[in-house]
Amino acid sequence: MKMHKTIFEALNRASSFLEENGREGNAARILLQHILQTSYSGLMMKMHDVLPEEQQQQFDDFIQEHVKGLPVQYITGVEEFYGRSFVVDESVLIPRPETEELVVGTIERIRKLFGDNQKLKFADIGTGSGAIAITMKKECPQLDVTATDLSPAALATAQKNAEKLQAEIEFKLGDLTEPIANEKWDVVLSNPPYIAYEEMEEMSDVVVAHEPHQALFADEDGLLLYCKLAENLPALMKKPALIGLEIGYTQGEAVANFFKKSFPNAYVSVVQDINKKDRIVFCEISE
């Protein structure tokens, strides 16, 4: 890609180049905003400015990396979640907009079950970047938040985010409920790996080649970890209590049945996302 004189020309050429190579043209704008450290409106105001040669070279390098399959978020090192900017790298799954709906639904149910200001013990199992745990702490400061992960690298990234966003979180290393098994909990959330290995061939090469498989895939058609959580959580929950789980869109009935069996007196519901696909299972445990 040759050098261009203006931001407008550089952006147009890069967008076209991405589309010609099977990528989203809009990625060029995101990458250029990152390089120029500006907002969308700021970029629009700069369109006829000359793009300095050093920044043009960096832009070209980023475009080439994305064409080869590196996700935009790993190039810029950040992703937005619930109005906040989170550090992301290849140790963690990139936070998705659908997961924001788990946060919204949880906040609504916490208020219904516990009121607004009650101190509660909250655990995020498989925290990854820390997006869920940190967002819940920022939105509900009364929560005493613990976040766990099986990956030391993921926990390190989550800790960076907690420090950056000034959220007081206790981080624990370990598998599923093992790090929190010596306490009782009011609220437990998890967005565990839930994609069946058989689905790998249908997925984007950008995701498969770069996002951590440990955070994406699970055995037994993607249901194994939900089954384990349903088996282990009854001994760890207070009454009343709330459990919330992000799921794959075909898994609602199966995951709900796991929790109905483990919590026969609870109200278990499957909630659809904005696209009308099953996305969340909530288990509301009464007194």
Side-chain angles (χ1 to χ4, degrees):
M1 297 171 65
K2 66 179 183 178
M3 296 297 178
H4 309 297
K5 291 184 178 181
T6 67
I7 287 172
F8 176 79
E9 185 179 8
L11 183 59
N12 277 355
R13 294 289 181 89
S15 297
S16 297
F17 181 74
L18 287 174
E19 290 171 358
E20 289 165 6
N21 286 274
R23 305 295 180 204
E24 290 287 335
N26 190 52
R29 176 185 61 77
I30 297 169
L31 292 169
L32 192 52
Q33 280 180 221
H34 177 73
I35 290 168
L36 297 175
Q37 292 295 289
T38 189
S39 63
Y40 175 81
S41 58
L43 183 66
M44 294 302 104
M45 293 177 66
K46 295 174 182 284
M47 278 295 185
H48 297 293
D49 291 356
V50 172
L51 185 62
E53 185 174 336
E54 183 178 342
Q55 290 178 320
Q56 174 68 68
Q57 186 59 57
Q58 186 182 20
F59 186 41
D60 285 351
D61 291 344
F62 281 1
I63 293 296
Q64 292 291 349
E65 286 182 22
H66 187 51
V67 163
K68 292 174 183 176
L70 190 62
V72 168
Q73 295 90 338
Y74 290 157
I75 297 172
T76 63
V78 294
E79 175 62 316
E80 297 297 310
F81 184 85
Y82 217 87
R84 298 180 179 90
S85 182
F86 284 79
V87 173
V88 294
D89 55 34
E90 292 191 54
S91 71
V92 299
L93 200 66
I94 297 165
R96 265 60 170 186
E98 294 87 349
T99 306
E100 294 182 350
E101 299 186 51
L102 173 61
V103 170
V104 171
T106 300
I107 292 171
E108 291 173 353
R109 285 164 178 79
I110 285 175
R111 288 173 178 159
K112 182 179 75 172
L113 283 170
F114 306 103
D116 284 329
N117 299 308
Q118 187 175 337
K119 292 281 187 182
L120 301 170
K121 288 189 65 63
F122 174 100
D124 174 26
I125 296 175
T127 196
S129 66
I132 291 174
I134 292 166
T135 301
M136 289 300 304
K137 181 63 178 178
K138 299 297 286 187
E139 297 298 315
C140 303
Q142 77 274 19
L143 299 179
D144 178 8
V145 178
T146 297
T148 76
D149 207 283
L150 186 61
S151 162
L155 276 186
T157 299
Q159 286 174 311
K160 286 180 191 175
N161 282 316
E163 291 167 8
K164 173 174 173 271
L165 294 167
Q166 298 182 315
E168 187 178 345
I169 311 283
E170 181 176 7
F171 292 98
K172 293 186 176 182
L173 179 67
D175 188 23
L176 290 180
T177 57
E178 180 270 325
I180 64 167
N182 60 341
E183 299 180 68
K184 296 278 189 175
W185 302 87
D186 298 292
V187 183
V188 171
L189 296 187
S190 185
N191 178 16
Y194 57 69
I195 302 172
Y197 285 98
E198 293 78 13
E199 297 178 46
M200 190 182 301
E201 292 182 2
E202 304 168 18
M203 296 174 62
S204 163
D205 64 315
V206 173
V207 174
V208 173
H210 296 280
E211 295 198 59
H213 286 199
Q214 183 175 265
L216 288 169
F217 300 103
D219 290 322
E220 296 183 15
D221 295 325
L223 294 169
L224 177 63
L225 300 183
Y226 298 112
C227 183
K228 287 185 175 182
L229 287 169
E231 290 173 354
N232 295 339
L233 284 174
L236 306 183
M237 305 307 297
K238 296 182 182 180
K239 290 184 179 180
L242 175 66
I243 298 167
L245 307 150
E246 185 169 331
I247 61 169
Y249 71 94
T250 64
Q251 298 171 327
E253 183 178 0
V255 175
N257 285 338
F258 291 152
F259 282 83
K260 287 176 182 177
K261 182 178 178 181
S262 293
F263 296 93
N265 297 318
Y267 174 59
V268 179
S269 58
V270 180
V271 178
Q272 293 185 328
D273 63 20
I274 196 171
N275 297 312
K276 305 300 182 186
K277 293 184 176 181
D278 290 353
R279 185 60 59 191
I280 302 162
V281 168
F282 281 113
C283 178
E284 299 173 53
I285 303 157
S286 59
E287 295 281 4

